[in-house]
Amino acid sequence: MMADCCGWADFWTHAFSKLGYEVWEPVGNAEPMQKAWALENRIKFREKSWLTDIIKAQVESFCPDILFADDYGAYRADFIQQLRSCCPSIKLVLGWCGAPYGNSSIFKSHDIIFSNIPDLVNLFREQGHKSEYIKHAFEPRILEKIATGRAKTINFSFIGSINKGQSAHNQRELLIKELIQKVNLQIWSAVSYPSFAKLVLLTLRQLAYDMIDLLKQSSSSLNKSSVAAITKFKEYRTGWFSQVVDPVIIKSAYPPLFGLSMFQYLHDSKVTFNNHIDISSRAASNMRLFEATGVGTCLITDWKDNLHDLFEPDREVVTYRSPQECVEKVKWLLEHPQEREAIAQAGQARTLKDHTFDQRAIELDYIIRRELN
């Protein structure tokens, strides 16, 4: 799993080990691996709660000084508190949030919440949490695992998620649709249109909601169960379809890519597209900034206030402020291979110089030592 370089893989483990840390990085939701560990170590777990039962046993086995729990969806505040109680060796609990979340009380058992989005850091601090800004990074070992000498055969790519919803990728969806139509953007993403059966079911639910709503308007004697039904049907009617990605994108998309396959396709792209999640409205912050430049690809990304702190705009990465500017610059880059390659090489040099996991681990180490002293 780690050798495929998916997500963070073992990048933090590798970087912190260089600083003298002893690190164990179990992948909590890798069910076959976790249950095999439990069997080998004679750990009993309940089938309905194996995810937390096994992690709890692993934490007790390792007795860490520092716990970095980066999945706030699976490991909530009450579970983190359980780990603190059963494992008194824990001196510091670190968390991570770089995406939309629910109530910030899920972080109440964390000592520090790290985020790649400065606005989230400020928000957490306003809510009374201790929070620190840590940028994403690139792992140079990836370059030893992909074919870096291969010709770039993909003109213009987007490899990533398109998730609709509050503070998600709504702006990204609009831009990608326009780029498909104007500059032949090739997409690799986990998007799909609902099946025929699901469409029929949705239509029936919409009709049922309309009928109940009509009854509600004509009668004041609806009971509580009817009101609950109205609420549920309203969710299906107004919320479900709004999450479906535009059919133009769905028809154009190839299956999603992860790990080394993703890095190879990024490398094989002459130009690759980036647009930030809506929750990061002012800051350049996502992983693609460093993944794409790290493998030596010319990146075109949306302008953000802090971008100049990461890269030199239009020399190390190319920026746009509107869909029209993005289209124009992509066309220019594809028509000027020497200039495009110079930007790609400058971006890669900057990432390998300033944006690796080794460098981020040094920043994290400073914060950890400051908190423990």
Side-chain angles (χ1 to χ4, degrees), residues 6 31 53 86 96 127 136 139 173 182 191-192 218 262 265 296 307 336 339 350 355 362:
C6 185
E31 185 173 355
D53 290 349
C86 71
W96 175 270
Q127 294 169 341
H136 277 302
E139 174 51 63
E173 180 198 32
K182 293 185 177 179
V191 293
S192 61
S218 62
M262 180 198 73
Y265 274 66
L307 185 63
H336 295 80
E339 291 86 345
R350 179 64 180 273
H355 303 307
I362 292 171

Side-chain angles (χ1 to χ4, degrees), residues 303-363:
W303 173 268
K304 296 294 181 182
D305 294 344
N306 70 330
L307 185 63
H308 63 277
D309 294 329
L310 307 175
F311 297 96
E312 185 176 337
D314 294 325
R315 197 188 80 82
E316 296 172 336
V317 297
V318 180
T319 63
Y320 63 88
R321 296 175 185 260
S322 69
Q324 295 75 24
E325 185 179 15
C326 184
V327 169
E328 290 171 5
K329 287 190 171 182
V330 168
K331 289 180 178 179
W332 188 90
L333 288 166
L334 292 176
E335 292 168 358
H336 295 80
Q338 289 185 334
E339 291 86 345
R340 181 184 71 233
E341 185 59 24
I343 293 169
Q345 290 181 6
Q348 184 179 44
R350 179 64 180 273
T351 290
L352 296 177
K353 175 178 172 289
D354 293 337
H355 303 307
T356 67
F357 276 88
D358 284 354
Q359 289 154 320
R360 300 292 187 261
I362 292 171
E363 297 171 26

